[in-house]
Amino acid sequence: MSSERLIYLPLGGAGEIGMNAYVYGYGKPNEERLIVIDLGVTFPDMDGSPGVDLILPDVSWLEERKDRIEAVFVTHAHEDHVGAISHTYSRLEAPIYARPFTANIARRKMSEYGYPDEAVTVMGSWPEQRDFGPFKVGFLPISHSIPESGALVIGTPAGRIVHTGDFKLDETPVVGEAFDPELWAEVCKDGVKVLVCDSTNVFSPNAGQSEITVGPEIEKMVLAATGMVVATTFASNVARVKTLAEAGERAGRSIVLLGRAMRRMLEASIETGVLKDFPKVISPDDAKALPREKVMLLVTGSQGERRAASAQLARGKYMGLTMKEGDTFLFSSKTIPGNEKGVIHIMNAFSEKGVDVVDDSSGHFHVSGHANRPDIQRMHDIVKPEILIPMHGEHRHLREHVKLGAEKDITGVLAVNGMMIDLTGDKPQVAEYIETGRTYLDGSVQIGALDGVVRDRIRMALNGHVIVTLIMDEDDEPLGDPWCEVMGLAETGTSNTALTEVLEADLSQFLGRANAKTLRDDAKLNEALRKIVRQTGQNEVGKKPEVTIVVSRLS
Amino acid sequence: MSSERLIYLPLGGAGEIGMNAYVYGYGKPNEERLIVIDLGVTFPDMDGSPGVDLILPDVSWLEERKDRIEAVFVTHAHEDHVGAISHTYSRLEAPIYARPFTANIARRKMSEYGYPDEAVTVMGSWPEQRDFGPFKVGFLPISHSIPESGALVIGTPAGRIVHTGDFKLDETPVVGEAFDPELWAEVCKDGVKVLVCDSTNVFSPNAGQSEITVGPEIEKMVLAATGMVVATTFASNVARVKTLAEAGERAGRSIVLLGRAMRRMLEASIETGVLKDFPKVISPDDAKALPREKVMLLVTGSQGERRAASAQLARGKYMGLTMKEGDTFLFSSKTIPGNEKGVIHIMNAFSEKGVDVVDDSSGHFHVSGHANRPDIQRMHDIVKPEILIPMHGEHRHLREHVKLGAEKDITGVLAVNGMMIDLTGDKPQVAEYIETGRTYLDGSVQIGALDGVVRDRIRMALNGHVIVTLIMDEDDEPLGDPWCEVMGLAETGTSNTALTEVLEADLSQFLGRANAKTLRDDAKLNEALRKIVRQTGQNEVGKKPEVTIVVSRLS
């Protein structure tokens, strides 16, 4: 017995916000039975991952041990927690467990890839618990910005773990279960060995606001508006969507839902009984027949996503609906770092149409879904763990969260992706460093982030691309001149001649002088030609391009 | 006389924040004498302008009329106002005027491109005025986040214009002239026809804070710090650099300046007498010999720029200096939208080293250089213009600023880049729409933003690039198989064979079936091959790549 151990291993989400994937194990070293909490994605950008569709955690470590995986649990249906399940399912082949709403969304994702509903098992909430090898696991309801978020209470032979998932302490969340401090106190009263805790808002100094505070402010705004009102928020924030719709209804407006994600989330909420009453919704066509001041649209695209309803309205029309002078557009959302330019772009496009844009700079039209600093402290106080492991944060968040715990003398562990922590003894310690990383979903294939594919794309984008083709005859002599094609470079440079001509002239000159040995040796020839292209590029246009050389030998 | 007109034409800065370039003209239509205020740059990014070095306003319209340009005035030495002077000088050949500090910086920029100091003429400040054709122009001091910012007072036969440049109303600016409300009132007392006014902070509801408020807070922070303190701000914010240095000195620390821009700005401030006293500065080598708690570094790179001192310290060392556990890093700055990810990256790198990062989320360690909403209103009240033209703002800022003026019954004109406004009569009106745009400095050449060069780069980055080479013999029959090279695409796709092999097989199959007419016709052949590559790419890896086809005919 003494040789068995309890381990914690984040594969994603610890040292970043996004792409959550946490592993717990119990058993003899290298024979532990494993459970996985969340398999999420993060989103690509032009800076680091151009052309990529989604970023997944690298699950190679798990795949190699897939016979030891008891289950995957999904805490809630946000993309950074559930988005990777369908992309990793064939590699891990592990059953997925979630509460009804989350399971509904998870099954929709799985079915897109042809997996049956049975891949996802619905679990009830606490006190329901099930055994998974050495683990006894139950979902403990917690409030967040999506219905039915669940913390996980994980019983192990080495003590109890509470894994919060994403949370806030909202006792009036509009939709879904309120945070229940008595229930939490009850669950934790017999002692919690480890609290693994959301760190997102550890730098926000004031206690978080309840979802219920947003409604009256939105209602005031909608009542004051004269033209059409269009509001956007995260589609998964069902409570907010309801609040917005009710504010519109009370202001005598008919509600239209635009955007696939918005409709899908509402559908799932109604199917699972999470959402009981929602204002009557009309179709875009019916809305067109009404006076503008009698209509309120709820649309996707709060982050400025180019293909979402809000961006399409900003560019022109969506489902036949347009915005114009005197209308109001409300961002009932915050802009996630990195999305600022896209959001600002939309704001300006609306401004050009004479649309009044209202964002959350006043702090009245949005509240965060994550616990702020005092709320995190309250969670520490309720759970009273022996050990605190901050998760769901960049390094700076995790570090600050450890410090926050230390104020109450809680032993903190700063564990980033790949750090396997042995939690068995009195003091947590690093057991091993696991190689972790990111996998790109790129078109229809998965590639490693370090495979070089994306690095080549970035280089072509920064430096342009020159293609040199050269035919060598049977005697290993150039047949005619080399030919250059250029992509992503200025047509003419400092010598005021076409860049391709200058390149071809410089390459021809070299070939005329090159000795037979060089001409016969592909590697040498390529290297020499590449060097000339880069040097000429530098001289002519001030850039050293990427170079592809194709030498065809007729021999 | 009645046929002469006064025109305003923004070529940059109106409808964006950055790349300022404003033209005023007076005279018979199409014979107006012209003056230009500011020639600034804006900065490229991976999303829209990968590989580009700087973005300049397109000055073609001015170049075609360069014989009519009397002068270029530079309001202050920020890059978005002065950055393009050296890159446009050979095209416009117009004399440049600026106040001493701005001229010092301008001359440094000009000399990098081999232009003599005489290209830039130093002008004193109000009441000095000079005649430039029909214009009488004087620099009226105004506070901003750089020394010697100057509004321009422009006398014309059609009335007086006040062009604010960037400003805040700071009566205690630490370095440089305080805002002098009496002087401004005096200048404006005989009536101002047009106020062309900074709009940057029109959405900031509370009056701006003076530079002097920052010092005590920074001093408190530095006194409380135990390890080394490193602070960053905009190098051009000489007042802030001085405040930081003095706080360090009072806390018993020796000051080190790191980063070329930081040293250059201080040098210019001292040379021009703008900065009289500054704490003694020591070298990085001397700093190494001191205990950490006796050292304070002031460094460049508040925006997370990869090559600046702060980023280098985050990665490892700079000039032999390193940061470690217990040190403090202060961002005495705000993050410009679009730079969030770079700044956050640095924050996390410091966190990994155990360095405490302090940013301005408390609002204590930075104040803006731009007038907030109530300050802009105060400017309206002082100048009392007949016409208000908001500038230095995105569309939403300009629009809001027009609304703000309307509250006091000022006629507002929402003029974006390319809108030529006739200001002569009682009512301003649009005289003409001029084609404007952006010019990219790309390596050593200037290219038009719409030339397609950067579009091709973006496409390669998003879709990858396939190069097909094919040799056709004297009978227009393929000599051997086509050859494919791939850059920026997954090596293998759904059929589990190398992508290049699948491509080559599909192309060969097509060539085997193609009729002689297609094989003889370059355009047809290219189009057919391209289509196959894109279709095979889609099937194999889910992407339609960019394609370059090189057919060599031996005939």
Side-chain angles (χ1 to χ4, degrees):
Chain A
M1 230 343 234
S2 71
S3 69
E4 304 196 309
R5 64 180 188 176
L6 172 65
I7 56 169
Y8 165 77
L9 168 63
L11 295 176
E16 66 192 329
I17 293 183
M19 203 182 85
N20 294 278
Y22 307 92
V23 181
Y24 295 89
Y26 188 83
K28 295 212 169 80
N30 303 314
E31 294 174 21
E32 296 92 350
R33 301 302 297 174
L34 307 172
I35 57 173
V36 181
I37 300 186
D38 291 335
L39 282 169
V41 296
T42 196
F43 296 97
D45 59 27
M46 259 313 265
D47 286 292
S49 43
V52 170
D53 293 282
L54 275 180
I55 302 176
L56 324 169
D58 179 355
V59 295
S60 307
W61 188 89
L62 280 173
E63 189 178 10
E64 287 161 19
R65 293 157 183 81
K66 66 179 170 183
D67 55 312
R68 284 160 47 192
I69 306 175
E70 297 281 348
V72 173
F73 300 90
V74 181
T75 58
H76 63 287
H78 278 149
E79 288 297 323
D80 57 334
H81 295 262
V82 73
I85 55 166
S86 59
H87 305 295
T88 52
Y89 189 66
S90 67
R91 294 174 65 186
L92 304 183
E93 294 175 327
I96 297 165
Y97 291 81
R99 300 180 64 202
F101 175 80
T102 309
N104 184 300
I105 298 291
R107 284 174 172 168
R108 287 162 191 256
K109 290 188 167 292
M110 294 295 281
S111 83
E112 284 176 28
Y113 286 80
Y115 299 118
D117 278 1
E118 294 74 54
V120 181
T121 304
V122 175
M123 261 181 77
S125 58
W126 193 267
E128 179 178 328
Q129 294 178 77
R130 298 199 196 177
D131 291 313
F132 298 89
F135 301 102
K136 185 186 272 295
V137 181
F139 280 97
L140 184 59
I142 185 83
S143 46
H144 185 41
S145 48
I146 191 169
E148 282 193 353
S149 200
L152 287 159
V153 180
I154 306 166
T156 83
R160 179 171 273 185
I161 298 166
V162 173
H163 181 105
T164 65
D166 295 5
F167 76 97
K168 67 184 290 186
L169 302 182
D170 195 338
E171 303 191 20
T172 49
V174 180
V175 168
E177 300 112 328
F179 169 62
D180 181 345
E182 282 81 39
L183 174 63
W184 272 72
E186 172 66 25
V187 169
C188 299
K189 76 172 195 301
D190 294 329
V192 171
K193 183 164 178 86
V194 189
L195 171 66
V196 181
C197 188
D198 180 0
S199 311
T200 315
N201 281 0
V202 69
F203 288 111
S204 300
N206 305 314
Q209 296 293 299
S210 166
E211 184 63 35
I212 210 167
T213 62
V214 177
E217 298 290 336
I218 291 175
E219 199 172 329
K220 249 185 273 174
M221 195 225 80
V222 179
L223 276 170
T226 50
M228 190 162 73
V229 174
V230 181
T232 187
T233 189
F234 304 96
S236 57
N237 194 335
V238 175
R240 186 68 50 77
V241 175
K242 187 182 185 209
T243 297
L244 290 165
E246 286 176 347
E249 188 178 49
R250 274 197 287 272
R253 290 169 183 264
S254 296
I255 307 302
V256 184
L257 294 180
L258 293 183
R260 191 164 146 262
M262 191 73 83
R263 288 194 308 276
R264 190 175 49 206
M265 281 290 168
L266 275 212
E267 231 174 74
S269 309
I270 290 162
E271 277 178 24
T272 54
V274 164
L275 189 62
K276 300 247 152 48
D277 45 295
F278 190 85
K280 185 171 166 293
V281 166
I282 65 169
S283 74
D285 274 340
D286 289 345
K288 270 181 272 181
L290 293 175
R292 303 185 80 69
E293 68 274 16
K294 292 290 173 197
V295 176
M296 179 161 168
L297 315 182
L298 306 184
V299 307
T300 51
S302 69
Q303 300 304 305
E305 303 93 324
R306 273 188 61 76
R307 283 178 289 192
S310 64
Q312 296 201 44
L313 282 170
R315 286 198 293 272
K317 62 169 80 178
Y318 188 77
M319 306 281 282
L321 294 165
T322 55
M323 294 195 73
K324 59 186 198 188
E325 176 108 37
D327 290 346
T328 303
F329 190 97
L330 169 66
F331 283 90
S332 180
S333 55
K334 74 151 208 172
T335 304
I336 294 170
N339 297 340
E340 289 81 2
K341 284 200 171 183
V343 169
I344 287 173
H345 186 77
I346 286 183
M347 287 180 168
N348 283 311
F350 282 131
S351 179
E352 288 175 23
K353 291 180 190 293
V355 171
D356 290 315
V357 174
V358 179
D359 66 11
D360 188 47
S361 50
S362 69
H364 293 147
F365 303 120
H366 178 65
V367 293
S368 173
H370 293 274
N372 288 356
R373 194 178 183 91
D375 311 315
I376 293 173
Q377 278 182 307
R378 193 173 159 213
M379 177 60 86
H380 296 174
D381 292 344
I382 291 170
V383 177
K384 295 189 186 66
E386 292 170 32
I387 298 166
L388 167 68
I389 307 185
M391 63 158 174
H392 206 280
E394 299 161 9
H395 194 283
R396 64 198 173 111
H397 300 103
L398 306 184
R399 180 165 178 266
E400 186 70 15
H401 194 165
V402 166
K403 282 193 194 175
L404 188 65
E407 288 178 13
K408 298 265 172 81
D409 291 322
I410 309 173
T411 301
V413 180
L414 202 170
V416 296
N417 295 342
M419 270 171 76
M420 183 194 286
I421 308 296
D422 184 341
L423 296 164
T424 324
D426 288 341
K427 263 183 88 98
Q429 46 198 339
V430 178
E432 204 177 328
Y433 290 91
I434 305 302
E435 208 174 302
T436 57
R438 298 174 154 210
T439 299
Y440 292 152
L441 177 69
D442 189 57
S444 55
V445 297
Q446 292 186 17
I447 56 180
L450 303 177
D451 284 1
V453 171
V454 168
R455 183 200 58 204
D456 283 347
R457 285 186 202 156
I458 293 173
R459 287 182 178 169
M460 288 190 290
L462 294 176
N463 309 321
H465 193 187
V466 172
I467 296 101
V468 180
T469 53
L470 174 64
I471 303 175
M472 303 293 280
D473 67 15
E474 291 79 353
D475 304 322
D476 286 320
E477 287 287 334
L479 186 65
D481 287 321
W483 180 263
C484 289
E485 297 267 349
V486 153
M487 203 170 205
L489 285 162
E491 270 184 36
T492 53
T494 44
S495 67
N496 255 326
T497 311
L499 176 59
T500 49
E501 277 182 45
V502 182
L503 287 167
E504 284 162 8
D506 288 355
L507 292 168
S508 291
Q509 196 183 38
F510 162 79
L511 289 166
R513 287 191 319 241
N515 61 34
K517 203 174 147 202
T518 303
L519 293 176
R520 270 200 305 272
D521 183 331
D522 275 347
K524 265 197 188 147
L525 186 56
N526 273 13
E527 193 41 44
L529 297 177
R530 180 182 313 274
K531 208 171 147 190
I532 292 165
V533 169
R534 289 170 64 83
Q535 187 59 51
T536 300
Q538 180 65 41
N539 297 344
E540 283 293 303
V541 297
K543 290 185 99 74
K544 292 189 167 167
E546 298 309 294
V547 186
T548 294
I549 291 169
V550 183
V551 176
S552 310
R553 294 185 186 272
L554 297 184
S555 53
Chain B
M1 232 340 236
S2 69
S3 70
E4 303 196 309
R5 64 178 187 177
L6 173 64
I7 56 169
Y8 164 77
L9 169 63
L11 294 176
E16 65 192 331
I17 292 181
M19 204 182 84
N20 294 278
Y22 307 92
V23 181
Y24 294 89
Y26 189 84
K28 295 212 171 80
N30 303 314
E31 292 174 23
E32 296 91 351
R33 301 301 297 174
L34 306 171
I35 57 173
V36 181
I37 300 187
D38 291 333
L39 282 169
V41 295
T42 197
F43 296 98
D45 60 26
M46 260 312 263
D47 286 293
S49 43
V52 169
D53 293 282
L54 274 179
I55 301 175
L56 324 169
D58 179 355
V59 295
S60 307
W61 188 90
L62 281 172
E63 189 177 10
E64 287 160 20
R65 293 156 182 81
K66 67 178 170 185
D67 54 312
R68 284 158 49 191
I69 306 174
E70 298 281 347
V72 173
F73 300 90
V74 181
T75 58
H76 64 286
H78 278 150
E79 289 297 323
D80 57 332
H81 295 261
V82 73
I85 56 166
S86 59
H87 305 295
T88 52
Y89 190 67
S90 66
R91 295 174 66 186
L92 304 183
E93 294 176 326
I96 296 164
Y97 292 81
R99 300 180 64 201
F101 174 80
T102 309
N104 184 300
I105 298 291
R107 283 173 172 165
R108 288 163 191 256
K109 290 188 167 292
M110 294 294 281
S111 83
E112 283 176 29
Y113 287 79
Y115 299 117
D117 278 1
E118 295 74 51
V120 180
T121 305
V122 175
M123 262 181 77
S125 58
W126 193 267
E128 180 179 328
Q129 294 177 77
R130 297 199 197 177
D131 291 315
F132 297 89
F135 301 102
K136 185 185 272 290
V137 181
F139 280 96
L140 183 60
I142 185 82
S143 45
H144 186 41
S145 48
I146 191 169
E148 282 194 355
S149 199
L152 286 158
V153 180
I154 307 166
T156 83
R160 180 171 271 183
I161 298 166
V162 173
H163 181 106
T164 65
D166 293 5
F167 76 96
K168 68 185 290 188
L169 302 182
D170 195 338
E171 303 191 19
T172 49
V174 180
V175 168
E177 302 112 325
F179 169 62
D180 181 344
E182 282 82 37
L183 174 62
W184 272 72
E186 172 66 25
V187 168
C188 299
K189 76 172 193 305
D190 295 328
V192 171
K193 183 167 178 82
V194 189
L195 172 66
V196 181
C197 188
D198 181 0
S199 312
T200 315
N201 282 0
V202 68
F203 288 110
S204 301
N206 305 316
Q209 296 293 301
S210 167
E211 184 63 34
I212 210 166
T213 61
V214 177
E217 298 291 336
I218 291 175
E219 198 172 329
K220 249 184 275 176
M221 195 225 79
V222 179
L223 277 170
T226 50
M228 188 161 73
V229 174
V230 182
T232 186
T233 189
F234 304 94
S236 58
N237 194 337
V238 175
R240 186 69 50 77
V241 175
K242 187 181 184 207
T243 297
L244 289 165
E246 286 177 348
E249 189 179 48
R250 275 197 288 269
R253 291 169 183 264
S254 295
I255 307 300
V256 185
L257 294 180
L258 293 183
R260 191 163 147 264
M262 192 72 85
R263 290 193 307 275
R264 190 175 52 202
M265 280 291 166
L266 274 212
E267 229 174 76
S269 310
I270 289 162
E271 277 177 27
T272 54
V274 164
L275 188 63
K276 301 249 151 48
D277 45 294
F278 191 86
K280 185 170 166 295
V281 165
I282 66 169
S283 74
D285 274 339
D286 290 345
K288 271 181 271 181
L290 293 175
R292 303 186 80 69
E293 68 275 14
K294 292 289 171 199
V295 175
M296 179 159 168
L297 315 182
L298 306 184
V299 307
T300 52
S302 68
Q303 300 305 304
E305 304 93 325
R306 273 190 60 77
R307 283 177 288 193
S310 64
Q312 295 200 44
L313 282 169
R315 286 197 294 272
K317 62 168 82 179
Y318 188 78
M319 307 280 282
L321 293 165
T322 54
M323 294 195 72
K324 59 185 200 189
E325 175 109 38
D327 291 345
T328 302
F329 190 97
L330 170 66
F331 283 90
S332 180
S333 55
K334 74 149 206 170
T335 304
I336 295 170
N339 297 340
E340 290 81 1
K341 284 199 171 183
V343 170
I344 288 173
H345 186 77
I346 287 183
M347 287 180 168
N348 284 310
F350 283 132
S351 179
E352 287 175 24
K353 290 179 190 293
V355 171
D356 290 315
V357 174
V358 179
D359 66 12
D360 187 47
S361 50
S362 69
H364 293 149
F365 303 120
H366 177 65
V367 293
S368 172
H370 293 275
N372 289 355
R373 193 177 184 91
D375 311 314
I376 293 173
Q377 279 183 306
R378 192 172 161 212
M379 177 60 86
H380 297 173
D381 292 344
I382 292 170
V383 178
K384 295 188 188 66
E386 293 170 32
I387 298 166
L388 166 69
I389 307 185
M391 65 160 174
H392 206 282
E394 300 162 8
H395 194 284
R396 62 196 176 114
H397 300 103
L398 307 184
R399 181 164 178 266
E400 185 71 14
H401 194 166
V402 166
K403 282 193 197 176
L404 188 66
E407 288 178 12
K408 299 262 171 85
D409 291 322
I410 309 171
T411 302
V413 180
L414 202 170
V416 297
N417 295 342
M419 271 172 75
M420 183 195 286
I421 308 295
D422 183 341
L423 296 164
T424 324
D426 288 342
K427 262 184 89 96
Q429 45 197 339
V430 178
E432 205 178 327
Y433 289 92
I434 305 301
E435 207 174 302
T436 57
R438 297 175 154 209
T439 298
Y440 292 152
L441 178 69
D442 187 58
S444 55
V445 297
Q446 293 186 16
I447 55 179
L450 303 177
D451 284 2
V453 171
V454 168
R455 184 201 57 204
D456 283 348
R457 286 187 201 156
I458 292 173
R459 287 182 178 169
M460 288 190 290
L462 294 176
N463 309 322
H465 193 186
V466 171
I467 297 102
V468 179
T469 54
L470 174 64
I471 304 174
M472 303 294 279
D473 68 14
E474 290 80 353
D475 305 321
D476 286 319
E477 288 287 333
L479 187 65
D481 287 321
W483 179 262
C484 290
E485 298 266 347
V486 154
M487 201 168 205
L489 286 162
E491 271 185 35
T492 53
T494 43
S495 68
N496 257 324
T497 312
L499 176 59
T500 49
E501 276 182 45
V502 182
L503 286 167
E504 285 162 8
D506 288 355
L507 292 168
S508 292
Q509 196 184 33
F510 163 79
L511 289 166
R513 284 190 321 238
N515 61 35
K517 204 176 146 199
T518 304
L519 292 176
R520 272 199 304 272
D521 183 331
D522 275 349
K524 265 195 190 151
L525 185 56
N526 274 13
E527 193 40 44
L529 297 176
R530 179 182 316 274
K531 210 171 143 191
I532 291 165
V533 169
R534 289 169 64 83
Q535 187 58 51
T536 300
Q538 181 63 41
N539 296 344
E540 282 294 303
V541 297
K543 290 184 99 76
K544 291 188 166 167
E546 297 308 294
V547 185
T548 295
I549 291 170
V550 183
V551 176
S552 310
R553 293 185 187 273
L554 297 184
S555 56

